[in-house]
Amino acid sequence: MRLLNVVSSPRGEKSASIAVASAFIAAYGNTVNSVEVDTLNVWEEDLPEFDSDTIGAKYKGVSKDPLDSSELSAWLRIESLVARFREADRIVIGVPMWNFGYPYKLKQLIDLVSQRNKLFTFDGKAYGPMLKIPRALVIHVRGQSDDTVTSIGNPGFKYQADYLAFWLKFIGVEDVKSLVIEHTWDARAPETIERGKAEAIALASAF
């Protein structure tokens, strides 16, 4: 069993999302015979920029034109990241909320690996997933909650989770579980983080 653990917080031991994900992974390791954890930390990984070389390689791949050396170097780095998703049997992603979204490095990773004929297909009419992963867990950590938001028309925070669930299903994850831990900036933080760990551990047996 190979579990891809995507870390999107740069806070290390101070990170609530890392703490909850670690509790889940430890518990999951006790439920199966053998788990190989591949940790992809977007802050420590040498992610290529999605610059002119990278996007040039993308479009040349579509048109089947030869890549120059810079484009080839960027594309090989993308393929190495894609391989880690394709080799995974399960996925865990810890996601702190940043400015009502997610860390930009996580979006960079998504932009890099979401390539046609790598993680999805497109025949000109319809998209299709290329992965066959039964389950993923996304741990959403938020400093506050949306239950106190009263402004008219505010959509709340659910859209953040909806996007990541959509993307995971788009590339081929059948069942996406979401675990939300809120109030991690105030006096309730120690209690909510411990409760989040307990909820994560409870999810491990059916993962």
Side-chain angles (χ1 to χ4, degrees):
M1 182 69 67
R2 187 176 179 88
L3 187 150
L4 178 62
N5 174 33
V6 179
V7 176
S8 67
S9 170
R11 301 190 70 230
E13 294 181 355
K14 297 180 180 179
S15 166
S17 63
I18 292 175
V20 175
S22 296
F24 172 83
I25 292 168
Y28 182 62
N30 292 329
T31 67
V32 295
N33 292 330
S34 178
V35 179
E36 180 182 354
V37 180
D38 175 17
T39 298
L40 198 169
N41 187 320
V42 297
W43 298 95
E44 297 176 356
E45 197 73 29
D46 184 20
L47 299 179
E49 296 296 327
F50 213 107
D51 55 15
S52 60
D53 288 332
T54 310
I55 201 166
K58 173 188 174 76
Y59 284 108
K60 282 186 177 179
V62 173
S63 62
K64 302 188 184 305
D65 293 328
L67 278 59
D68 64 29
S69 60
S70 296
E71 292 166 341
L72 180 60
S73 176
W75 200 252
L76 288 174
R77 290 162 71 192
I78 285 176
E79 289 187 332
S80 70
L81 292 168
V82 168
R84 295 167 76 171
F85 282 85
R86 298 183 72 160
E87 293 167 1
D89 299 300
R90 301 287 191 275
I91 297 175
V92 174
I93 308 178
V95 187
M97 175 174 277
W98 283 19
N99 295 312
F100 310 106
Y102 24 78
Y104 64 90
K105 282 286 185 180
L106 177 59
K107 184 59 166 62
Q108 183 179 356
L109 174 67
I110 292 172
D111 288 341
L112 289 168
V113 299
S114 300
Q115 304 297 335
R116 182 180 181 182
N117 297 327
K118 299 298 180 184
L119 293 186
F120 69 91
T121 60
F122 181 64
D123 62 6
K125 295 181 180 179
Y127 294 95
M130 292 191 70
L131 302 183
K132 292 183 179 179
I133 297 178
R135 280 175 289 283
L137 172 64
V138 185
I139 299 164
H140 298 275
V141 171
R142 302 164 183 170
Q144 298 297 324
S145 70
D146 58 1
D147 57 9
T148 57
V149 175
T150 58
S151 58
I152 296 173
N154 191 297
F157 295 159
K158 187 173 180 293
Y159 67 91
Q160 180 206 29
D162 288 345
Y163 170 78
L164 291 171
F166 167 82
W167 174 69
L168 287 165
K169 290 179 180 180
F170 176 76
I171 63 176
V173 178
E174 295 177 10
D175 182 23
V176 179
K177 305 291 187 185
S178 293
L179 175 59
V180 178
I181 300 101
E182 298 183 313
H183 295 291
T184 60
W185 277 0
D186 57 28
R188 288 170 284 185
E191 177 187 350
T192 58
I193 292 170
E194 287 305 311
R195 185 165 62 245
K197 289 180 182 178
E199 292 175 2
I201 290 169
L203 289 171
S205 60
F207 192 67

